[in-house]
Amino acid sequence: MAKARATRRNLGSFTVKSINKIIRAGDCVLMRPSDSAKPSYVAQVETIEGDSRGANVRVHVRWYYRPEESIGGRRQFHGSKELFLSDHYDVQSADTIEGKCTVHTFKGYTKLDAVGNDDFFCRFEYNSSTGSFNPDRVAVYCKCEMPYNPDDLMVQCEGCADWFHPTCIDMTPEEARKIDHFYCQNCSSGDKKKLQNSHAMSRKTTDTKVTTLRWVKTEISILS
């Protein structure tokens, strides 16, 4: 006579003893990769289930992909801590959880005073079958017309409110951090070249700068 299949039930939470952390649905976690040379996988916990005794715990997860794991690969504007929320769902043993992490919104990430090892950000959803993104277009800035990378220093022209990489306007990062005012070439006139109206900007940014940075100028397809 065949054994009856063990009954499994959803758990509201589970304590991963190896890291002494409580995991709940909705948490983002770091999971042990099959190749120890690779960085930890990042996933969002959908549900947690265990047997009738609360043992043999499994987590249903939705994977985040790193840019280099996507079909198009990593591009210049992708931040070092950027992730894509994929349509790839999976079930894993809770024993593979190595830690908890935080995946911020793009805007929330740019407002952090400091970025920790377990801080990431996501601004796109990713279809792992087609390689498509949602949204599929992103605003671009500077003379190079590249989307914003929060790791890069940029300066803002007060004339047109566009943002520029120092290297794209013949300026060193040190000069960019020191200037009080800046006009871009299109907005400057006569002897009014660089030092007119600017704000040096790194990852630390105000709400106004973030709003402007996200929506000013034209957009390009992130697949182009």
Side-chain angles (χ1 to χ4, degrees):
M1 182 175 178
K3 288 185 178 180
R5 186 174 180 179
T7 302
R8 299 187 66 81
R9 60 189 178 90
N10 285 343
L11 304 177
S13 64
F14 175 71
T15 300
V16 181
K17 294 181 180 179
S18 60
I19 59 174
N20 195 29
K21 296 286 186 181
I22 299 175
I23 305 299
R24 296 181 174 86
D27 286 345
C28 291
V29 294
L30 301 170
M31 307 196 75
R32 184 170 61 250
S34 55
D35 183 349
S36 59
K38 293 184 177 181
S40 299
Y41 296 138
V42 182
Q44 179 176 284
V45 177
E46 299 287 306
T47 58
I48 307 170
E49 65 172 38
D51 61 21
S52 57
R53 296 176 291 109
N56 299 316
V57 177
R58 300 174 187 166
V59 286
H60 294 245
V61 299
R62 184 177 182 183
W63 293 112
Y64 282 97
Y65 280 31
R66 288 182 168 83
E68 54 269 27
E69 297 168 332
S70 67
I71 292 176
R74 178 172 288 278
R75 299 182 62 181
Q76 182 178 341
F77 65 88
H78 291 141
S80 61
K81 306 301 290 289
E82 185 159 6
L83 302 171
F84 308 143
L85 182 60
S86 79
D87 60 347
H88 182 182
Y89 293 84
D90 204 354
V91 181
Q92 294 285 317
S93 168
D95 292 335
T96 62
I97 296 176
E98 296 184 318
K100 295 179 70 172
C101 62
T102 303
V103 181
H104 302 270
T105 63
F106 177 68
K107 183 176 180 179
Y109 182 83
T110 63
K111 294 172 67 176
L112 293 177
D113 291 329
V115 175
N117 291 334
D118 299 332
D119 286 311
F120 301 90
F121 75 92
C122 177
R123 53 179 160 179
F124 302 113
E125 291 190 9
Y126 175 67
N127 186 308
S128 58
S129 298
T130 64
S132 61
F133 291 86
N134 182 31
D136 64 353
R137 300 181 75 82
V138 62
V140 296
Y141 307 91
C142 189
K143 296 164 63 176
C144 63
E145 295 194 340
M146 288 296 296
Y148 175 49
N149 181 338
D151 298 336
D152 293 343
L153 176 71
M154 299 186 82
V155 294
Q156 187 182 35
C157 170
E158 191 164 303
C160 62
D162 200 356
W163 293 85
F164 296 86
H165 301 106
T167 54
C168 292
I169 51 176
D170 298 322
M171 186 183 296
T172 67
E174 291 72 23
E175 290 173 331
R177 291 186 179 93
K178 291 178 180 178
I179 61 174
D180 295 322
H181 306 288
F182 168 76
Y183 277 109
C184 70
Q185 186 175 6
N186 290 338
C187 294
S188 62
S189 60
D191 294 331
K192 193 191 298 180
K193 278 286 185 182
K194 293 181 179 177
L195 304 179
Q196 278 298 318
N197 209 337
S198 158
H199 307 284
M201 191 206 79
S202 62
R203 183 184 43 75
K204 297 179 182 178
T205 179
T206 65
D207 290 341
T208 301
K209 291 178 183 177
V210 171
T211 301
T212 301
L213 195 59
R214 294 181 69 190
W215 301 115
V216 167
K217 213 175 177 183
T218 186
E219 294 183 332
I220 62 170
S221 169
I222 59 177
L223 295 178
S224 63

